[in-house]
Amino acid sequence: MEEHYILKNIENILKEIPDYVHLIAVAKGRSLKEIELCIEGGIKILGINYVQQGEKIYPFLKDKADFHLIGHLQTNKIKKALNIFNMIQTIDSIETVKEIQNRLKSEDRKMPILIEVNIANEKNKFGVPPENLFDFFSEISKFDKILIMGLMTIGPNTNDENIIRKYFKKTYNLYNQLRNYKSANVNFKYLSMGMSDSYKIAIDEGSNMIRIGRKIFLEQN
Ligand SMILES: *Cc1c(COP(=O)(O)O)cnc(C)c1O
């Protein structure tokens, strides 16, 4: 029998990316069956956009993969999110951090997070504007129930590779400036950047965590 295209897709991506790059399979809109297949293909991290989807598949897959939240986190979903996700990649507000702090105050653990950066200052996009990043970072690094592990960006909404590259460079530059900061609540080591159409550029520009949906779950020709 011929190998399923999801397995083939993952094989092909793994072949072309360096070992240090973490490959996240973005599960939005995919069935449990498709997601199970991608785990069979070697995926160890699932990227989840909605807490609700996470909740639905978590009981079946919690021992088989890590769950990373890559969509916006609403305040009323924080409690649930803390019980499902190994990492929240979309932190962009102090209120969310305060709520996490409050929810975890009696627990002996920290929630690993990435700060989402709205690197091209796009309207209607979540994320901290780059000019506010250092202030935001220093403010949230005081909270001991989070562990700040790096930056995440979606990148600008364009097909122009030069523009994409320019903003990925800019994000890497910010990442690099924060990378050597050491504290109990900071262990900066992930730059989550690059999707199906942009991951090669992203890796070129310093990404070590890519979030791939279509190129894993759709048949390639
Ligand atoms: C959908 C999505 C991706 C993956 O996009 P593809 O183009 O399907 O690879 C990555 N990151 C986020 C935040 C997404 O919402």
Side-chain angles (χ1 to χ4, degrees):
M1 215 179 87
E2 224 186 298
E3 192 180 31
H4 194 283
Y5 63 82
I6 290 180
L7 301 180
K8 186 137 258 158
N9 288 344
I10 293 168
E11 229 173 83
N12 288 337
I13 296 168
L14 287 174
K15 246 187 283 178
E16 60 182 21
I17 64 173
D19 286 343
Y20 65 81
V21 174
H22 299 267
L23 173 58
I24 297 181
V26 176
K28 63 173 174 264
R30 307 303 165 191
S31 66
L32 181 60
K33 188 135 209 155
E34 289 173 292
I35 300 169
E36 279 172 332
L37 254 174
C38 89
I39 294 172
E40 194 182 307
I43 293 293
K44 297 186 173 62
I45 309 174
L46 301 174
I48 307 290
N49 288 76
Y50 302 101
V51 174
Q52 208 173 355
Q53 189 194 15
E55 236 186 328
K56 223 154 111 186
I57 62 175
Y58 182 74
F60 304 99
L61 304 175
K62 61 179 171 174
D63 300 323
K64 298 183 181 157
D66 280 358
F67 282 58
H68 286 203
L69 183 66
I70 61 166
H72 180 66
L73 178 56
Q74 293 168 282
T75 312
N76 63 349
K77 298 279 166 62
I78 291 174
K79 185 174 179 225
K80 277 178 182 160
L82 291 172
N83 292 323
I84 295 171
F85 295 103
N86 304 88
M87 185 182 285
I88 296 170
Q89 296 206 0
T90 49
I91 293 296
D92 65 357
S93 92
I94 190 86
E95 284 69 35
T96 304
V97 174
K98 281 181 181 160
E99 182 64 17
I100 293 172
Q101 179 76 20
N102 189 42
R103 293 268 173 201
L104 291 182
K105 64 175 181 272
S106 59
E107 292 186 44
D108 183 27
R109 62 170 175 137
K110 292 175 188 288
M111 186 69 211
I113 66 116
L114 303 182
I115 300 172
E116 181 174 357
V117 184
N118 180 3
I119 194 65
N121 289 90
E122 290 170 291
K123 289 201 185 86
N124 311 320
K125 214 172 232 172
F126 291 109
V128 180
E131 64 273 18
N132 298 349
L133 177 65
F134 296 134
D135 284 347
F136 182 72
F137 173 84
S138 80
E139 197 163 352
I140 68 170
S141 63
K142 294 169 194 143
F143 291 87
D144 67 354
K145 293 301 178 186
I146 61 167
L147 181 63
I148 309 173
M149 301 201 73
L151 301 180
M152 180 272 217
T153 195
I154 293 180
N157 207 350
T158 171
N159 294 322
D160 186 328
E161 294 197 353
N162 292 319
I163 296 176
I164 293 171
R165 189 178 290 278
K166 176 179 121 181
Y167 284 108
F168 282 176
K169 260 189 213 304
K170 201 173 164 190
T171 312
Y172 177 76
N173 186 36
L174 295 170
Y175 168 75
N176 212 24
Q177 289 179 65
L178 291 171
R179 196 152 52 152
N180 293 319
Y181 184 97
K182 294 272 176 276
S183 91
N185 309 328
V186 181
N187 182 9
F188 225 74
K189 59 178 176 185
Y190 297 123
L191 178 55
S192 173
M193 174 169 95
M195 320 198 287
S196 291
D197 292 332
S198 61
Y199 69 93
K200 288 175 196 164
I201 304 173
I203 292 169
D204 260 6
E205 299 303 336
S207 167
N208 58 19
M209 190 173 258
I210 58 177
R211 309 179 309 270
I212 308 290
R214 290 168 298 140
K215 216 174 164 179
I216 288 178
F217 290 107
L218 300 185
E219 195 156 12
Q220 308 292 304
N221 40 36

